[in-house]
Amino acid sequence: MTDPVLRCFPFGGVGEFGKNMMVYAVDDDAVIVDCGMGFPEPGQHGVDIVVPDIAALDELGLKIHALILTHGHEDHIGGVPILLPRLKLPVYGTEVTLALVRSKLSETNYKGDLRALPEDGTTIPIGPFQVEGVPVTHSIMDAVSVAIHTVLGVVIHTGDFKFDPAPIDGRATALHRFAQLGDQGVVLLASDSTNATRAGSGPSERIVGPAIRQAVSQCKGKVVVTTFASNMFRIQQIVDAAIACGRRVSVAGRSLERNMSIAQDLKRLNIPAGTFVDIKQSQHVPDHELLIIATGSQGESRAAVGRIAHGRFTGVQLGQGDLVIFSSSNIPGNERVIAGLYNHIYRRGARILHAGQASVHVSGHAQAHELKMMIQLTRPKYFYPVHGEFRNLMEHRDLAVATGVALERTIIAENGHSVELDSAGIRPGPGFHAGAIFVDGDSRDEIDGFVLRDRRFLAEDGMISATVIFSQHEGTLLSPPELEARGVLHEDVSEDVLTDASHDLAGFLGGLDHELLADLDATKEEVRLFLRRWCKRRLGRRPMVLPMVVAI
């Protein structure tokens, strides 16, 4: 009889930030940990989200028993509504995580088989494995590490974690349980590498509340606070600060409203009656008595803060004396967009407070000292850094070696590179396909690469080019937009139809402010989205739109 072999297949989240998905298999029995989404890179126009390509699962010949979720952040559960109908697996998670997944699945009319993952030290059988959730602190409620008990020993997949000494809800990282698992024998530790490049330990989430309260108390106008929509610990502290300063609270952003409603239904968010005022009625509240919690901390143009910054959010106008607090970190790659958002806010006359100026945000990920502590607690035989770009993985491996793990007992393996582990040691396994599926977030259509996507649009719906010329100084159109159709049925886009589209587009552009028109990239995107929606509404088709915007 051959010795059992543990194999790891990273489908996402290793060598990158986002779309986390890992498959652990002993021989042919397997479980999946997390099923997340990522965001498109610059230049990937028309793509809303990115999820792991799971086509290789059919080729690996595995018997997959379940999908296990570490927590409810989008980069760990965002792919579930898209991929679960294919996987058809039971889904295990903690209370808040499953509530968030249930809400996402309700939008697709797919119920799913959702099951509770214990986090009290007891295990449940999943296939030939015994599995448990180990409580950890993070920037979302009910996060866990996943401990998979196998014939080779315990595999610990930490998920995102930190060691918060004073968590808001009193639910601390279960240090004793990690130590117990270390005593039992951890064969592999796959640990979060996000903050491996940052020395020391991260501060507690609890320090954010007083900093926000102080900033709010000193503001004479309205306050807008933007943060990640899933961080209910942060939301609770923001609401508490508003109440302490005698302010009513409005919420701007559907994802924020949905998540807060879920947390309140679970009695995990404490908001006294009379605190909230509908955002549509907030203009009737004096500025010095109002605090708005808004989505869009990463500069998303169509999120609440982006629309407020451009003066395009109905009923909310920024002005002198107002304060916008960014209670968030910048996701790598978003710095330029966020800087542009800052400029628009300052143009309105408001001022900004961010984490570089005060303790209005702390990270939810373990830093170097905490990562070393996790290694010391679990004392793994083998170490595998995950969750992060290549530099993060390398820095984390160096931390493990400095903690006493022999270099030959560590491994670096990015997406598409499997890992094998048995009595002979740990080593790279065969490569496999671990690409990405590009998804249109509105229609849930998958986009199999840009060439195929372009061909599909051109073959089915054709293309419309739009040329817009405007005066950069005055911010006005110099002539009606010129539209030209290719590959679209003539009866669909007669000259009269194109004339109507040009007229409606001119009216739409005439309603945009000068600041937005001065941003050529933003204006191109507005033209593209307007014409696609116009064609869908008027023609029932979605031709490819090629905008050309010229400022003179």
Side-chain angles (χ1 to χ4, degrees):
M1 183 175 179
T2 58
D3 291 337
V5 178
L6 169 67
R7 293 182 290 166
C8 313
F9 300 94
F11 277 80
V14 189
E16 66 176 347
F17 290 113
K19 69 179 180 68
N20 298 285
M21 183 176 182
M22 179 73 77
V23 176
Y24 292 104
V26 174
D27 295 333
D28 293 332
D29 292 293
V31 293
I32 300 174
V33 176
D34 288 333
C35 183
M37 55 157 274
F39 292 104
E41 297 179 359
Q44 294 178 337
H45 303 297
V47 176
D48 290 287
I49 63 173
V50 182
V51 299
D53 184 348
I54 60 172
L57 283 179
D58 295 331
E59 303 168 6
L60 295 177
L62 301 174
K63 183 179 181 181
I64 302 174
H65 297 277
L67 168 61
I68 308 168
L69 302 174
T70 58
H71 64 283
H73 275 151
E74 289 291 334
D75 58 332
H76 292 258
I77 68 168
V80 172
I82 298 163
L83 299 180
L84 186 60
R86 294 187 194 175
L87 294 169
K88 294 182 173 60
L89 296 171
V91 179
Y92 290 85
T94 50
E95 182 180 52
V96 169
T97 303
L98 291 185
L100 292 170
V101 170
R102 190 174 293 110
S103 175
K104 294 175 76 66
L105 290 177
S106 67
E107 300 174 1
T108 66
N109 297 318
Y110 186 86
K111 290 185 178 181
D113 179 6
L114 308 184
R115 306 179 184 181
L117 178 67
E119 50 176 311
D120 58 359
T122 61
T123 63
I124 54 172
I126 299 179
F129 312 116
Q130 293 290 322
V131 180
E132 64 178 292
V134 184
V136 295
T137 48
H138 185 42
S139 53
I140 191 171
M141 295 175 173
D142 287 3
V144 292
S145 295
V146 174
I148 307 168
H149 299 255
T150 77
V151 294
L152 288 160
V154 181
V155 175
I156 296 179
H157 184 99
T158 68
D160 297 347
F161 78 97
K162 66 182 290 185
F163 293 144
D164 192 328
I168 299 296
D169 62 353
R171 180 182 176 275
T173 297
L175 303 181
H176 65 286
R177 184 56 186 157
F178 283 114
Q180 289 174 346
L181 292 171
D183 292 339
Q184 292 179 28
V186 173
V187 67
L188 180 69
L189 174 66
S191 186
D192 173 23
S193 306
T194 303
N195 274 348
T197 58
R198 299 176 65 175
S201 298
S204 171
E205 172 67 29
R206 195 172 289 273
I207 73 168
V208 174
I212 292 178
R213 178 175 175 178
Q214 180 180 8
V216 173
S217 68
Q218 294 173 349
C219 178
K220 300 186 184 306
K222 75 174 70 68
V223 177
V224 178
V225 186
T226 180
T227 189
F228 297 111
S230 59
N231 192 343
M232 291 300 112
F233 298 130
R234 188 70 47 82
I235 301 299
Q236 182 70 70
Q237 293 186 95
I238 294 169
V239 171
D240 292 345
I243 294 172
C245 296
R247 292 179 182 255
R248 304 282 299 281
V249 177
S250 288
V251 177
R254 283 178 295 177
S255 60
L256 192 56
E257 291 175 357
R258 182 181 66 247
N259 291 347
M260 291 178 69
S261 177
I262 290 171
Q264 284 183 283
D265 290 344
L266 296 175
K267 303 189 184 308
R268 304 292 292 274
L269 194 60
N270 179 27
I271 301 177
T275 301
F276 278 134
V277 58
D278 190 283
I279 190 67
K280 297 177 182 177
Q281 304 299 320
S282 62
Q283 57 190 315
H284 303 303
V285 178
D287 284 355
H288 68 281
E289 296 179 7
L290 178 65
L291 182 146
I292 299 171
I293 309 175
T295 57
S297 64
Q298 298 307 302
E300 303 96 318
S301 62
R302 300 192 173 275
V305 166
R307 288 185 287 140
I308 291 172
H310 284 93
R312 298 171 61 195
F313 196 105
T314 304
V316 179
Q317 295 294 325
L318 292 177
Q320 293 290 335
D322 293 343
L323 174 66
V324 180
I325 301 174
F326 280 76
S327 184
S328 57
S329 58
N330 296 347
I331 294 176
N334 292 345
E335 294 84 359
R336 180 174 172 271
V337 176
I338 295 172
L341 184 61
Y342 284 3
N343 288 327
H344 289 297
I345 291 170
Y346 278 117
R347 286 192 179 101
R348 306 268 84 79
R351 60 190 180 87
I352 289 172
L353 185 68
H354 56 73
Q357 301 165 314
S359 299
V360 294
H361 175 72
V362 297
S363 174
H365 297 270
Q367 297 179 194
H369 179 72
E370 299 160 277
L371 295 175
K372 292 169 74 173
M373 185 185 298
M374 176 63 79
I375 296 168
Q376 290 167 337
L377 286 169
T378 57
R379 306 180 299 283
K381 187 173 183 180
Y382 299 103
F383 178 75
Y384 179 18
V386 296
H387 299 351
E389 295 178 348
F390 194 80
R391 58 191 173 90
N392 304 86
L393 307 180
M394 292 295 292
E395 292 281 356
H396 200 177
R397 186 187 70 174
D398 291 346
L399 290 175
V401 172
T403 309
V405 180
L407 180 62
E408 62 270 18
R409 293 184 180 273
T410 69
I411 193 163
I412 302 289
E414 297 179 273
N415 298 342
H417 300 273
S418 70
V419 172
E420 293 184 349
L421 189 162
D422 56 20
S423 57
I426 193 168
R427 59 193 173 274
F432 63 99
H433 176 69
I437 297 175
F438 303 110
V439 180
D440 182 322
D442 293 328
S443 65
R444 296 296 181 187
D445 283 343
E446 292 182 7
I447 304 168
D448 305 322
F450 292 110
V451 173
L452 292 178
R453 177 174 181 267
D454 289 350
R455 287 178 178 175
R456 189 190 75 190
F457 279 146
L458 290 170
E460 295 178 0
D461 294 328
M463 178 188 76
I464 292 179
S465 64
T467 303
V468 176
I469 303 175
F470 71 94
S471 168
Q472 190 168 25
H473 177 68
E474 297 176 1
T476 57
L477 291 175
L478 294 178
S479 62
E482 296 182 10
L483 305 184
E484 189 172 1
R486 288 286 183 270
V488 188
L489 291 176
H490 180 69
E491 55 263 36
D492 282 344
V493 285
S494 63
E495 285 297 324
D496 290 341
V497 171
L498 289 178
T499 300
D500 290 344
S502 175
H503 178 270
D504 291 349
L505 176 59
F508 170 74
L509 293 173
L512 299 180
D513 59 60
H514 190 180
E515 285 178 30
L516 183 63
L517 282 172
D519 186 339
L520 296 186
D521 288 338
T523 303
K524 283 182 181 179
E525 186 67 359
E526 292 289 344
V527 170
R528 187 187 72 82
L529 289 172
F530 177 87
L531 287 176
R532 283 198 73 196
R533 290 168 179 164
W534 192 95
C535 291
K536 179 66 175 178
R537 185 173 61 251
R538 179 75 175 266
L539 309 176
R541 295 176 177 271
R542 280 184 141 181
M544 178 186 295
V545 176
L546 242 94
M548 178 180 295
V549 178
V550 180
I552 298 177

